[in-house]
Amino acid sequence: MSMIRDLRAAVRPSRRRGVSPYRYETSAPACPNSAIVDCGVYRDGRRVREHVTPAEAMASARAEGGFAWIGLHEPTEAEFAGIAQEFGLHPLAVEDAVHAHQRPKLERYDDTLFTVFKTVHYVEHAELTATSEVVETGEVMCFTGRDFIVTVRHGGQGSLRALRHRLQDDPELLAKGPSAVLHAIADQVVDSYIAVAGAVQDDIDEVEIDVFSSGSNGKSPGTKGAKGGDAGRIYQLKREVLEFKRAVSPLLRPMQLLSERPMRLVDSDIQKYFRDVADHLARVNEQVLSFDDLLNSILQANLAQATVAQNEDMRKITAWAAIFAVPTMIAGVYGMNFDYMPELRWKYGYPAVLLMTAAICFGIHRGFKRNGWL
């Protein structure tokens, strides 16, 4: 109830002063202080009114038929309050739309569907490092009613401007009403998932090649020259895939509901198109789950290679220690300074001991070499 009072308090003073409660962007996004990106009225699949306020758009749609489409980008509570009042949006959904950071979901409030989509953008990078950002996420939220659709976008990507123009070029589809717009947004979001999944697959393939080629190029995993030994890159990629997964997996249930369950606010013809979106989303979800499993295997292989490399290093250290133990022992024996020791008075005793020491060391080295310890 407190939320409703806050919304009413934000709307009424501006109306009493004769000031519009909306900050409206009348053209392309050139007004930095505007939350409304576009606002238009559509009738029979064609745009009949533009450069109108949301109140005018809604009045026109209700009086003459058609529907209003209002697009906003990161509105504040004050900016969104007037629209929420005009379209009768539920306060809980309004709060989610303003503050963002929501899980993908589909909720019904009276005669309004509230849908949250996570948009995903692939961040280009010259080389994958332990700090590289691979995917960047945003949000698109849709309030869908009988004669309106309000879209709220958060983040610097996922623009709907090109989508709006594409729909306006297909009046037969747009004539189906707000549910056609909702489907187009869902389709664009899922298509972006497919593109990002392909780019992430390339990154995983690169890491996989580096990991499994590091053992055959003479470099030990974990050394500076061995890219594949950098477990930090693999772990960072796992974190980015997890963020991708959080955008894809929760959307499965909403898409199934939109494609399978009859809804008054979704045209029956459009519902068939949602099935195709749900199918593509399921395929992307399987791919993202496989990414996680594959990265787990790559990380385990990397750690196993590091363990093998450490064992090889310890084996080499042990072999050299055994070789150096021979001269150390002989020098220790002849360093005890007894008067009666073999060959102390012999003229060739010193070179003979050196030759014997070298021969023993050579024999041990050859044996270790033959057994692969050196």
Side-chain angles (χ1 to χ4, degrees), residues 282-294:
R283 181 159 53 88
V284 175
N285 184 62
E286 292 175 359
Q287 192 174 4
V288 173
L289 292 177
S290 70
F291 288 165
D292 197 31
D293 293 338
L294 182 57

Side-chain angles (χ1 to χ4, degrees), residues 241-254:
V241 167
L242 178 61
E243 186 173 359
F244 190 13
K245 181 180 176 182
R246 288 171 179 165
V248 175
S249 296
L251 192 58
L252 286 171
R253 182 57 179 165

Side-chain angles (χ1 to χ4, degrees), residues 1 24 27 40 70 79 93 112 114 121 174 176 262 285 292 299 319 344 355 364 369:
M1 293 301 292
Y24 177 51
S27 59
I70 297 94
E79 291 169 336
T112 304
F114 177 59
H121 170 69
L174 198 56
K176 299 294 183 180
N285 184 62
D292 197 31
L299 185 59
L344 283 179
L355 268 170
I364 296 174
K369 196 80 172 177

Side-chain angles (χ1 to χ4, degrees), residues 101-107 114-119 138-140 189 193 243-254 281:
H101 304 296
Q102 301 299 314
R103 190 173 182 266
K105 59 184 178 179
L106 172 66
E107 295 177 342
F114 177 59
T115 316
V116 178
F117 299 97
K118 281 278 189 182
T119 57
E139 292 177 43
V140 174
V189 169
Y193 291 168
E243 186 173 359
F244 190 13
K245 181 180 176 182
R246 288 171 179 165
V248 175
S249 296
L251 192 58
L252 286 171
R253 182 57 179 165
L281 181 64

Side-chain angles (χ1 to χ4, degrees), residues 39-89:
C39 179
V41 179
Y42 299 85
R43 191 175 302 118
D44 297 326
R46 301 187 182 277
R47 186 161 181 161
V48 294
R49 294 195 65 182
E50 52 187 336
H51 304 325
V52 293
T53 66
E56 293 170 343
M58 193 61 187
S60 175
R62 287 173 176 169
E64 304 172 13
F67 70 95
W69 181 1
I70 297 94
L72 301 97
H73 181 244
E74 298 183 353
T76 63
E77 283 191 37
E79 291 169 336
F80 201 41
I83 296 175
Q85 179 76 12
E86 190 70 44
F87 292 91
L89 306 181

Side-chain angles (χ1 to χ4, degrees), residues 208-371:
E208 186 177 22
I209 291 171
D210 289 341
V211 166
F212 289 102
S213 65
S214 61
S216 60
N217 60 8
K219 297 175 182 177
S220 299
T223 61
K224 186 175 181 180
K227 275 176 59 179
D230 189 1
R233 294 192 310 142
I234 305 173
Y235 186 71
Q236 175 65 14
L237 197 52
K238 274 184 63 65
R239 287 177 61 90
E240 297 295 307
V241 167
L242 178 61
E243 186 173 359
F244 190 13
K245 181 180 176 182
R246 288 171 179 165
V248 175
S249 296
L251 192 58
L252 286 171
R253 182 57 179 165
M255 287 300 101
Q256 288 175 353
L257 291 175
L258 287 170
S259 62
E260 298 172 0
R261 181 177 297 178
M263 296 184 182
R264 288 181 299 169
L265 298 174
V266 178
D267 188 277
S268 58
D269 292 334
I270 295 298
Q271 195 165 36
K272 301 172 184 177
Y273 290 94
F274 274 113
R275 294 173 190 165
D276 183 62
V277 176
D279 180 65
H280 291 171
L281 181 64
R283 181 159 53 88
V284 175
N285 184 62
E286 292 175 359
Q287 192 174 4
V288 173
L289 292 177
S290 70
F291 288 165
D292 197 31
D293 293 338
L294 182 57
L295 284 170
N296 284 333
S297 300
I298 294 174
L299 185 59
Q300 290 173 1
N302 178 261
L303 295 176
Q305 286 184 348
T307 302
V308 170
Q310 290 174 355
N311 290 338
E312 290 179 353
D313 292 340
M314 290 301 300
R315 190 164 55 184
K316 290 179 181 179
I317 293 171
T318 303
W320 283 111
I323 292 172
F324 284 112
V326 174
T328 301
M329 182 189 66
I330 295 175
V333 170
Y334 276 90
M336 290 189 290
N337 296 323
F338 289 109
D339 288 336
Y340 302 101
M341 292 185 70
E343 317 303 342
L344 283 179
R345 306 296 178 184
W346 185 36
K347 179 179 178 180
Y348 301 105
Y350 177 70
V353 169
L354 289 181
L355 268 170
M356 182 184 65
T357 302
I360 295 173
C361 289
F362 176 76
I364 296 174
H365 181 274
R366 187 174 181 181
F368 282 140
K369 196 80 172 177
R370 186 181 300 133
N371 291 326

